[in-house]
Amino acid sequence: MIEGIRGLHHVTSLSSDAVRNNAFFTETLGLRRVKKTVNFDAPEVYHLYYGDEAGTPGSVMTYFPFPGIARGRPGTGEVGTTAFSVPADALEFWKKRLSGMGVDGLKEDESFGEKRLHFGGPDGDGFALVETGDDGRAPWTGEVGADHAIRGFHSAALRLRDDGATAELLRYMGYREIDAKDGVTRFGIEGGNGADFVDIETMPNIALADQGAGSVHHVAFAVKDRARQLEVRKALTDTGYQVTPVIDRDYFWSIYFRTPGGVLFEVATNEPGFDRDEERAHLGEALKLPTQHEHLRAFLEEHLQQITDRGTAW
Ligand code: ZN
């Protein structure tokens, strides 16, 4: 079994509009934008990161906003719902806030004994807030007070046609089956960073998703450092997974592999973090470019959509 996976690190999704995306995550959900950079492979597209004060692994939602791309078609082989953790009794506040701000798809239910509020992101992205009584993670309180603010991720729910091989993979990664109900199996990890759950929803008759705006591109799991990451990489390749070489993502190091159910997994390091090139007090303010794209700065500053932030919260 693989040692050292510490829960989720980040979730990366696709968006059709950087400005709307930024406003939704910073103003509506009250997360902090912790980095404004560009896609390594397509530098004319932003890579925006939102999370807690420091962008702590387990709190970071990231987006590639490709201007005007078509919406994805939901289906299997993808993350269906990304859930954030909020304090006990916070859902009433969120229901009022989100409905008052015109957010779509509000629906309350309960999952494994926890109260949950589903809502849609700006591109129809599948999100939920889950009331957890014992989440000790400190929230960012830019727009939403500490009594209600998001603590970080609670879980990611994978929608799969066939759950068997992916369940086996999660167990190999150190997850333990906690419960199963209504076609959903919950896995949890001991000693995680708070973003400790992965759900598998089995839907054998649903077609594979087509990715587009509102789709999750990949989900990343956290490891402490590069030494641990190399051990994880070896364990995965020894088991037959095709894993990419270690890639420098400036704020963490990454390896990627496609899971049997079709979802793209990443294993990312907690080092070096988002304050590598900006002071903690000013995270996310300046446009940061990967070194190899620095020569494009003048062009990018002129052509990237201008993101205007409200207020002085950051
Ligand atoms: Zn990633």
Side-chain angles (χ1 to χ4, degrees), residues 34-37 250-251 272-280 282-284 286-290:
V34 292
K35 199 60 65 181
K36 181 165 72 173
T37 181
D250 278 350
Y251 310 105
F274 293 99
D275 56 2
R276 193 193 73 111
D277 60 358
E278 273 175 311
E279 280 177 45
R280 180 74 68 90
H282 295 285
L283 287 181
L287 175 66
K288 292 294 176 185
L289 297 176

Side-chain angles (χ1 to χ4, degrees), residues 49-231:
Y49 293 78
Y50 312 101
D52 67 5
E53 181 180 11
T56 308
S59 78
V60 185
M61 187 72 218
T62 103
Y63 272 89
F64 298 131
F66 287 86
I69 55 161
R71 276 204 181 179
R73 184 175 54 84
T76 49
E78 66 174 352
V79 174
T81 305
T82 304
F84 297 100
S85 166
V86 296
D89 302 321
L91 286 192
E92 216 38 51
F93 163 88
W94 280 104
K95 201 166 62 171
K96 282 200 200 100
R97 179 180 178 86
L98 297 182
S99 70
M101 291 175 142
V103 172
D104 290 332
L106 295 179
K107 194 187 99 190
E108 287 177 279
D109 65 4
E110 217 177 275
S111 167
F112 300 106
E114 294 173 322
K115 283 192 195 160
R116 180 167 67 173
L117 175 65
H118 293 267
F119 64 97
D123 291 292
D125 331 39
F127 285 114
L129 297 165
V130 178
E131 281 189 2
T132 49
D134 57 352
D135 192 332
R137 292 178 287 175
W140 172 248
T141 51
E143 297 269 343
V144 177
D147 287 352
H148 306 115
I150 287 172
R151 264 50 184 174
F153 292 122
H154 170 276
S155 56
L158 317 179
R159 270 194 304 245
L160 304 177
R161 292 185 73 142
D162 176 2
D163 57 2
T166 303
E168 192 182 325
L169 168 65
L170 286 174
R171 282 191 281 265
Y172 185 55
M173 290 168 66
Y175 282 80
R176 185 170 62 84
E177 191 176 319
I178 292 176
D179 206 350
K181 204 180 172 191
D182 304 329
V184 180
T185 308
R186 169 153 295 177
F187 294 83
I189 197 145
E190 297 276 342
N193 57 20
D196 296 343
F197 302 108
V198 175
D199 291 346
I200 293 186
E201 193 175 353
T202 311
M203 306 176 97
N205 301 316
I206 304 295
L208 287 173
D210 268 340
Q211 289 210 327
S215 304
V216 172
H217 183 264
H218 64 266
V219 55
F221 295 84
V223 289
K224 181 165 164 273
D225 55 24
R226 294 176 67 194
R228 181 61 78 180
Q229 183 179 52
L230 286 177
E231 292 168 14

Side-chain angles (χ1 to χ4, degrees), residues 10 12 47 62 218 220 252 254 256 266:
H10 64 270
T12 295
H47 193 177
T62 103
H218 64 266
F252 43 85
S254 299
Y256 302 85
E266 171 182 347

